[in-house]
Amino acid sequence: MKIAYIGLGSNMHSPIKQIKSAIKLIEEIVSTEITDVSSLYKSKPVGPQDQDDYINAVVKIETELMPYELLERMQEIEKQHGRIRGERWGPRVIDLDILMFGNKIMTDQKLTIPHPEIHNRSFVLVPLAEIDSDCEIPGKGPISDLLATIDKSNVVQLQ
């Protein structure tokens, strides 16, 4: 079993409902178990600001799937939620990103692990640190060091 982290984000069609629904579908993936789920966080969008704020979360899983198999499952869940890939950084019903997969570092046209912007995104680092404060991002360093260098003021934990 490998440990992986999935980032979830939504800012359309009842975002909290979309995130919770996606988590339930992740629970149903064969050979995969959710071992932790962060709180929900509200954050400003990356890119165009003329869209609603995002709701974000991170889940920690243990999986027997390989990275590309996990990517396929994430894309299937996005499709079930009606995700249409359009404008880069535009509004979305659901966005599921493989943030990390074990200690793997890989880059190709289909998948980059760890996620290429993980170290720059407070809306990912804050919930990730909530569920694994000792985690180290391969090639980037300890999450505590990364959190110390970014602005976290735009990430608000929901009650």
Side-chain angles (χ1 to χ4, degrees):
M1 297 285 269
K2 292 283 188 190
I3 293 174
Y5 298 86
I6 308 297
L8 300 93
S10 175
N11 73 340
M12 294 175 65
H13 308 304
S14 304
I16 292 173
K17 179 179 158 193
Q18 298 295 337
I19 297 289
K20 289 181 177 182
S21 173
I23 291 170
K24 285 185 181 188
L25 291 172
I26 292 170
E27 287 176 340
E28 296 174 8
I29 297 172
V30 175
S31 303
T32 300
E33 178 184 345
I34 292 179
T35 58
D36 211 343
V37 179
S38 75
S39 301
L40 298 177
Y41 292 84
K42 184 177 183 179
S43 65
K44 296 288 180 201
V46 172
Q49 296 298 300
D50 61 341
Q51 58 182 310
D52 292 337
D53 289 347
Y54 274 81
I55 302 299
N56 300 100
V58 171
V59 296
K60 181 178 182 179
I61 63 172
E62 290 185 5
T63 187
E64 292 179 9
L65 299 178
M66 299 306 292
Y68 291 111
E69 294 171 313
L70 183 60
L71 176 64
E72 286 177 22
R73 299 298 89 74
M74 296 301 106
Q75 290 175 340
E76 287 169 6
I77 292 170
E78 289 178 338
K79 189 174 180 180
Q80 285 178 296
H81 281 81
R83 166 121 189 234
I84 298 169
R85 295 187 181 273
E87 174 186 8
R88 183 176 181 163
W89 295 322
R92 44 194 75 171
V93 173
I94 194 73
D95 185 28
L96 303 175
D97 291 323
I98 301 172
L99 302 173
M100 293 187 290
F101 192 97
N103 290 323
K104 191 167 216 38
I105 297 176
M106 63 180 280
T107 301
D108 63 32
Q109 289 188 348
K110 193 171 184 180
L111 183 60
T112 299
I113 297 175
H115 188 283
E117 292 296 321
I118 189 172
H119 59 290
N120 294 322
R121 295 190 170 160
S122 56
F123 62 86
V124 171
L125 293 176
V126 171
L128 179 57
E130 176 192 337
I131 61 174
D132 193 348
S133 61
D134 295 327
C135 108
E136 184 151 336
I137 298 170
K140 302 295 180 191
I143 195 165
S144 56
D145 291 355
L146 297 170
L147 277 170
T149 65
I150 63 169
D151 177 15
K152 298 172 282 302
S153 64
N154 67 333
V155 179
V156 178
Q157 186 175 1
L158 300 180
Q159 300 299 340

